[in-house]
Amino acid sequence: MSSTDYHHAGGLEFGDGNVKVDPSVSAKLPLGCRIVSIKAHGSSFWANTGRIDIKLTDGNSKSFFIKVTSQEVGKNMVRSEFECTMAIHTLLSNFTPKPITWGTYQTNTDTHFYLCEFREMIEKMPDPYEFTKQLATLRQNSKCPEEGKFGFHIPTYRGNLPQLAGWESSWETYFTKSLKLDLAFELEAKGPDAELNTLLPVLFEKVIPRLLRPLESEGRTVKPCLVHGDLWYANSGIDVETGACLVFDACSFYAHNEYEFGQWRPVCNRFGKEYLDAYHSYVQVSPPEEDYEGRLDLYKLCVGIGTIMEMELTLVRKFNTRVSALFRDDRTLREQ
């Protein structure tokens, strides 16, 4: 996978008193505004991130968040973030910062950017009921443009790796293909593994059909719901001015509504049982309810620390599939 290291465009760096932006960026700022400052803000493994403060023609102030990265994969990443954030913002305008645009620098055509409104946030866990009410509303009100299908119209990116694009009528089929893609990235990054060679046939031939096929059997159906895609605590915050719950850094697609709760299972994610209980006060557990815990363990494979296992629990191995693929040099991520 190509690097996304930012190729600095001369004179357009964040900080050091700079007040210049690329013409592609300035064209999307309010007409007649004056840039007051451009500062580094936040952090990212894959991009440079900053805050642009401006003065409007009426004398009021306004701020924007900008993310800048390079190469073709960087271009795909900022397009992904714009499309995903716009999908969420269209349904719940106060649940994510308003996306403005994405594009390519005129001064350096290998440099790409994402621009959205700036929302000052505090690093505090949101109220479980307020936060999950927003999630429930997002799930319930979302309507897939490809009716009854799972997926997304473009590849969306978690980190610098793409997720499965396109559409599938079956959730089991989409999930299986998506997990195979993640595992392919992991194997490319870390090389072959004898234990995985033993466990993966069990996963795909036994575990997935046992846990996901009943969702779509005996008259049961799964509604494709818009999910954030990488909903861990560091991709959420609370608006300083309004107190509203916010999410950002989305890599969305249409999925089973319980899908990303697998990422909430490890204690380190901080979205504990109280958040799941709050969510299910708005949305019932999908039937068959007795498979719920197993489904979330399965979903951890794509979005967090997961377990590959036979249903009889005779083989167990935990590892972080996508994170292991993202951080190629850290072999401990395969052994967690």
Side-chain angles (χ1 to χ4, degrees):
M1 187 59 59
S2 299
S3 169
T4 55
D5 293 340
Y6 172 45
H7 297 169
H8 292 277
L12 302 178
E13 295 82 4
F14 304 151
D16 295 327
N18 176 48
V19 292
K20 292 176 60 179
V21 296
D22 185 86
S24 294
V25 177
S26 60
K28 298 299 181 179
L29 298 177
L31 187 65
C33 72
R34 177 174 62 87
I35 297 175
V36 176
S37 67
I38 306 172
K39 301 175 182 177
H41 181 86
S43 62
S44 170
F45 286 108
W46 323 111
N48 274 22
T49 55
R51 170 178 175 167
I52 303 173
D53 296 322
I54 67 168
K55 188 75 71 174
L56 299 170
T57 55
D58 62 5
N60 290 321
S61 299
K62 193 173 180 66
S63 298
F64 297 86
F65 175 82
I66 187 169
K67 181 178 287 188
V68 183
T69 187
S70 299
Q71 300 191 22
E72 186 68 20
V73 65
K75 180 179 180 179
N76 294 335
M77 287 163 60
V78 293
R79 181 192 179 193
S80 163
E81 184 162 359
F82 175 82
E83 295 281 353
C84 296
T85 308
M86 181 60 76
I88 295 173
H89 188 269
T90 299
L91 289 168
L92 284 175
S93 60
N94 201 38
F95 195 38
T96 191
K98 181 181 178 180
I100 306 299
T101 193
W102 73 276
T104 297
Y105 275 16
Q106 290 184 25
T107 54
N108 184 342
T109 56
D110 196 37
T111 299
H112 317 284
F113 69 95
Y114 167 70
L115 186 71
C116 68
E117 69 174 348
F118 181 86
R119 303 275 290 271
E120 188 74 53
M121 303 180 207
I122 55 175
E123 294 182 3
K124 180 181 177 182
M125 292 301 292
D127 176 81
Y129 284 90
E130 289 294 325
F131 185 70
T132 58
K133 182 179 180 180
Q134 296 285 72
L135 287 182
T137 301
L138 180 68
R139 308 280 197 270
Q140 293 169 332
N141 291 353
S142 62
K143 185 176 181 181
C144 181
E146 295 287 330
E147 186 173 357
K149 294 188 177 182
F150 302 91
F152 208 69
H153 63 285
I154 63 168
T156 60
Y157 279 70
R158 293 187 68 215
N160 65 347
L161 295 176
Q163 300 187 123
L164 184 67
W167 304 101
E168 296 291 343
S169 299
S170 162
W171 169 238
E172 179 189 344
T173 300
Y174 181 84
F175 179 85
T176 300
K177 289 184 175 181
S178 179
L179 182 54
K180 285 182 176 180
L181 179 63
D182 283 352
L183 286 165
F185 287 139
E186 203 278 341
L187 290 168
E188 179 188 0
K190 298 290 167 57
D193 181 275
E195 189 177 2
L196 281 180
N197 290 339
T198 300
L199 294 172
L200 291 180
V202 174
L203 172 67
F204 289 110
E205 295 170 14
K206 294 185 178 181
V207 177
I208 292 177
R210 168 59 187 85
L211 289 173
L212 299 190
R213 195 164 298 171
L215 289 168
E216 301 172 298
S217 303
E218 300 179 6
R220 292 182 287 263
T221 60
V222 178
K223 176 195 172 185
C225 297
L226 186 67
V227 297
H228 176 282
D230 190 18
L231 195 57
W232 64 305
Y233 74 90
N235 284 343
S236 69
I238 298 176
D239 189 288
V240 169
E241 292 186 6
T242 67
C245 303
L246 295 170
V247 295
F248 49 92
D249 278 354
C251 50
S252 300
F253 58 98
Y254 290 86
H256 179 211
N257 82 89
E258 297 168 0
Y259 164 77
E260 58 192 350
F261 296 151
Q263 190 171 6
W264 291 9
R265 302 289 267 183
V267 174
C268 61
N269 199 346
R270 303 186 190 175
F271 285 124
K273 184 177 182 296
E274 68 275 20
Y275 287 88
L276 283 173
D277 290 344
Y279 177 81
H280 287 303
S281 72
Y282 303 114
V283 180
Q284 291 183 341
V285 171
S286 297
E289 292 82 353
E290 60 268 23
D291 291 343
Y292 175 72
E293 296 293 331
R295 289 194 300 264
L296 295 199
D297 281 339
L298 178 62
Y299 293 160
K300 283 189 291 188
L301 284 171
C302 278
V303 294
I305 296 173
T307 302
I308 296 179
M309 56 187 172
E310 287 192 7
M311 293 310 298
E312 295 85 357
L313 298 178
T314 58
L315 293 173
V316 177
R317 174 171 179 164
K318 296 183 178 180
F319 72 105
N320 194 322
T321 312
R322 178 162 286 264
V323 175
S324 181
L326 285 169
F327 299 98
R328 304 172 69 95
D329 296 330
D330 190 346
R331 300 196 64 84
T332 64
L333 292 171
R334 178 178 270 187
E335 305 302 332
Q336 289 189 48

